[in-house]
Amino acid sequence: MARYLSSSTLVFLAILGFLAFWIGGGMLNRQPPEQAAPVEAAVPHVAASLSVAEEIVPRTVLFGNVVPDQTSILRARTAGIVEEVVRQGDTVTQGDQLARLSADDREAGVARAQAAVGSAERDYDAARQLRERGVTSEAELQSRFAQLESARAELRAAELELQNTRLTAPITGTVSNVMAELGSFVDAGGEVLEIVRNDPLVAQIEVRQSEITAIRQGQEADVVFQGGHEAVGRVRFISPVATAQTRTFRVELEVPNLNAAIAAGLSAQISLALEGVRAHRLSPALIRLDDAGRIGVFVVDGDDETLRFAPVEIAQARAEAIWVTGLPDRARIVTISQGALSDGQKARISDTPEAYRDVVGAGSAEPAPPGSAADLIGAANAAPVAAP
């Protein structure tokens, strides 16, 4: 068998045997790794301010359309040719004559009716005298009286037909459109001109369900028209039924417009005061979202130094701050932190540094000791709480 094993083969087998012995010996002598000791979670350092709620009167700002107080279409009551008509843009007063239609034979009709009345009156007088003498019957007298009343009715109709050729202004306002020009023919009921009254103006808005109970008749509101003109309006109508599509309520405000200086049709911003509430003034940077998507802030739970997420509702928002409800009258609100916070988390609490009070916006009812947070959070790393 030796003749089949060359020297190179023997060397190769020896090397394999040595490697197997070396690897096997290392595996047998290997010690299991020691379990790493659990690392204790670090307690975060945060700063907080004691905030006291204040009484505020929130305002809702809505946008609406401005329409005329009244629009009236003047229509012809009888047919005829337009012989006179005012011009577009004229200011008119209620009762002024604005247009005149051709009388045609209406004046002759009035004359005939007047003559018929005179004849009927003479016949009735004659019949009455005969009745007093006992010459004629009571039925004949009543017949003459009926003829007289019929003639008088015909006269009134003829006079009214002639009067209807003169069209007068139903309201005071401005002629915004003339539909029947001079010389045109209009039928009975045809449109002649349009009058609008722009003093006062009416601002129409849609108010949400949550705010409608705070709106009342006669309530004042600030109105800013497109272009910058400002005025004060009063609520004159609140719809008793919500709009089905939007579930909002239509509200109308009456806005004085002396000399009709402001044109109707503009957009306007209306600011209405709501019911007073107690709310905390905060910086928007303090607002966070929880896992359920609710907005809120972190507060310190009493003296336990436990952080709690407190849901809030925004009662009023401005560029510099927001006012929120949902917190107790006095609450220690977390204003500065260096990482993510969670509900129920323990923390080391310090007062907000004086330099950050205006930045974070949370008011403090008690002055903070100077430098009390400087040792806790370095000024270079400190940052207001922000939504993750």
Side-chain angles (χ1 to χ4, degrees), residues 68-293:
D69 175 54
Q70 191 172 358
T71 300
S72 178
I73 301 293
L74 185 61
R75 298 176 182 272
R77 297 193 177 194
T78 186
I81 297 173
V82 179
E83 294 184 343
E84 293 180 9
V85 66
V86 295
R87 293 179 301 177
Q88 184 173 302
D90 285 355
T91 300
V92 298
T93 304
Q94 184 177 7
D96 290 349
Q97 180 175 314
L98 306 183
R100 182 172 61 85
L101 303 180
S102 56
D104 298 330
D105 62 345
R106 294 180 178 91
E107 292 179 351
V110 171
R112 286 192 297 270
Q114 289 173 340
V117 168
S119 176
E121 286 176 345
R122 288 190 296 272
D123 291 343
Y124 173 72
D125 289 339
R128 182 168 52 80
Q129 292 174 5
L130 292 174
R131 176 57 184 163
E132 290 173 354
R133 297 174 187 174
V135 176
T136 187
S137 65
E138 181 66 23
E140 179 67 18
L141 178 63
Q142 293 299 323
S143 175
R144 296 296 181 183
F145 180 74
Q147 292 175 6
L148 174 59
E149 288 299 308
S150 176
R152 287 172 176 172
E154 291 291 337
L155 175 60
R156 287 193 294 269
E159 291 175 340
L160 182 59
E161 184 72 10
L162 180 61
Q163 180 182 341
N164 285 340
T165 61
R166 300 179 182 274
L167 308 182
T168 58
I171 61 173
T172 297
T174 303
V175 177
S176 62
N177 190 19
V178 176
M179 287 80 89
E181 297 294 341
L182 195 66
S184 60
F185 179 83
V186 292
D187 289 315
E191 297 181 350
V192 178
L193 52 83
E194 178 185 59
I195 307 171
V196 297
R197 182 166 65 196
N198 277 359
D199 185 16
L201 289 171
V202 178
Q204 299 175 337
I205 56 176
E206 296 287 333
V207 179
R208 294 181 286 269
Q209 300 178 66
S210 59
E211 299 172 343
I212 191 62
T213 55
I215 310 301
R216 63 188 184 278
Q217 291 278 358
Q219 180 179 350
E220 290 189 349
D222 296 328
V223 181
V224 180
F225 296 93
Q226 187 176 14
H229 185 82
E230 299 181 4
V232 176
R234 291 182 182 274
V235 175
R236 76 172 192 181
F237 172 76
I238 302 173
S239 175
V241 181
T243 303
Q245 293 79 7
T246 60
R247 309 306 301 170
T248 56
F249 292 81
R250 183 169 61 90
V251 175
E252 292 184 355
L253 298 97
E254 187 174 289
V255 185
N257 186 24
L258 187 62
N259 298 325
I262 304 172
L266 296 176
S267 299
Q269 174 183 291
I270 295 94
S271 176
L272 280 163
L274 303 178
E275 295 177 351
V277 295
R278 292 191 63 80
H280 292 262
R281 180 183 182 275
L282 303 177
S283 165
L286 302 184
I287 296 296
R288 285 194 172 189
L289 290 175
D290 67 356
D291 294 338

Side-chain angles (χ1 to χ4, degrees), residues 312-376:
V312 298
E313 292 185 2
I314 298 177
Q316 181 172 280
R318 293 181 181 171
E320 69 278 6
I322 59 174
W323 283 260
V324 300
T325 59
L327 299 175
D329 265 11
R330 298 167 65 88
R332 289 189 71 191
I333 300 175
V334 175
T335 56
I336 302 176
S337 70
Q338 288 184 310
L341 305 178
S342 59
D343 186 60
Q345 185 178 21
K346 294 288 186 179
R348 294 177 60 187
I349 314 297
S350 181
D351 291 315
T352 303
E354 190 68 33
Y356 288 92
R357 290 188 183 277
D358 292 336
V359 176
V360 297
S364 176
E366 301 172 358
S372 58
D375 298 333
L376 175 65

